[in-house]
Amino acid sequence: MSLNTGAQYPEFRPRRLRQSAALRRLVCETHLHASQLVLPLFVRRGQKLRHPIGAMPGVYQLSPDELVREASRAFAAGVPAVLLFGIPDRKDALASGAYAKNGIVQQAVRRLKQELPELLIITDVCLCEYMTHGHCGLVHPSAPGAKILNDPTLKLLARAAASHAEAGADIVAPSDMMDGRVRAIRAELDRTGFSETPILSYAAKFASAFYGPFREAAESAPQFGDRRSYQMDAANANEALREVALDIAEGADMVMVKPALAYLDILHRVKMEFGYPTAAYAVSGEFSMVKAAAAKGWIDERAVTLESLLAMRRAGADILITYAATDVAKWLTE
Ligand code: PBG
């Protein structure tokens, strides 16, 4: 695209197009719409349970009945999709709750599908919430702490994804960052009769301090070490493109960049390079910062939230995953 700066016209005046709201709307290049939003939700066993997350005001661990309530509110406001995370009763060294036929996410999906058949259900596919040690993969038995095992983990992830599809999930979203997991999940979905279930891959997921509040919400903080041997180094952009290329080659239908606001360059390059449906995940820490500053009266929560999401759209995001989805949908339609 060649940019005519107007430098050749002595009287070129950009402000001509900013004179009125109608004129500004006419030349607006980027639009936010409720149909682009995805609301992440946390579910755990119980009834009438709304357990607040300290660093995420307005976000709760919900029992299935309350989950349906929260999802209906979002759907009524215009949010088309939710992203589900489960907190199991018990964790173990094989993350068996992640792929149990009657696991918490599987139960929640069935219930949501029954009560809100039009709502799109995306399930996060990972093991960390279900592992005693909180890592996203199996840990080497004789050298715990030293190594997260890649290939043995793939089978468990594939089982988890297929169990979500079987329960009725519309889209599965692997967030573990093991190599080859999209291929393994695609093969298992195809084998078990779910060849029409799309994969939204957390393709470029960085090892980020912005996930702090989430780990309280999902009770998934690693008990030793960190996630740097599987999540990406914040310094690397070319590597992010290679990660995305691999996931697409393995069968991802949609790709994600995560976190969002500090990684807009990655988002832009991913969209430019591949042109795939691209999601930006405005993660827990991004949400907490806005809430905390707004609570002090230091920023305008609504304006800052909308501006941030607009920036993600401008950078190339088609899909916006945000804990503020329900509020945003309301703001956009009032
Ligand atoms: C699970 C997972 C995490 C997030 C989404 N899926 C945490 C992590 O990788 O530690 C983070 C979401 C957020 O911070 O909002 N692997």
Side-chain angles (χ1 to χ4, degrees), residues 123-138:
T123 54
D124 183 89
V125 176
C126 198
L127 306 182
C128 56
E129 298 99 322
Y130 305 90
M131 285 287 200
T132 327
H133 48 65
H135 276 290
C136 303
L138 291 162

Side-chain angles (χ1 to χ4, degrees), residues 126 128 175 205 211 214-215 227 231 258 283-284 323:
C126 198
C128 56
S175 70
K205 176 173 174 180
Y211 306 153
F214 172 94
R215 293 183 186 164
R227 302 207 201 286
Q231 298 181 349
K258 176 186 173 190
V283 300
S284 54
Y323 298 96

Side-chain angles (χ1 to χ4, degrees), residues 159-173:
R159 275 179 72 184
S163 74
H164 294 174
E166 217 236 308
D170 297 290
I171 300 169
V172 294

